[in-house]
Amino acid sequence: MFEPQRAPLLPRTAFLLRQARFGAAALAIIAGSLAIGIWGYHAFEGLPWLDALLNAAMILGGMGPVDPVRTTAGKLFASCYALFSGIIFLVAVGVLVAPLVHRFLHRFHLEVDSIDQNGERTRNQ
């Protein structure tokens, strides 16, 4: 997916295109997760679509629900959705910054020292 260590640094325009693709993927992850939350609050709590959007967005953003959850099914959904949202947030951030971290490491050629069989330090290339 990314260029190997010995390959030259990707040109700026190609890198920006890669970053845009990964940004679109992160946005799709967030949008899909928001859609799941909207559907869940509408189906399990009977909230109108706009209120379901508000609750799902607040949970996904880490703020917490706006409307009180009254039904057992709604409470189970809200619990699962809150845990899911925390993980999805981390995944989306990871997808978004992966090209930046790779470019940084590729640019500065992260080199790790290791010890060979004779106990001497060698530099991995």
Side-chain angles (χ1 to χ4, degrees), residues 20-38:
R21 274 195 332 266
F22 276 72
L27 189 61
I29 291 168
I30 296 294
S33 301
L34 188 60
I36 291 169
I38 293 169

Side-chain angles (χ1 to χ4, degrees), residues 58-97:
M58 293 296 279
I59 290 282
L60 195 58
M63 300 297 288
V66 175
D67 295 314
V69 183
R70 292 179 175 83
T71 65
T72 302
K75 290 176 182 179
L76 290 172
F77 170 76
S79 299
C80 293
Y81 186 66
L83 294 172
F84 170 78
S85 294
I87 294 168
I88 285 299
F89 177 77
L90 295 174
V91 168
V93 168
V95 167
L96 190 60
V97 301

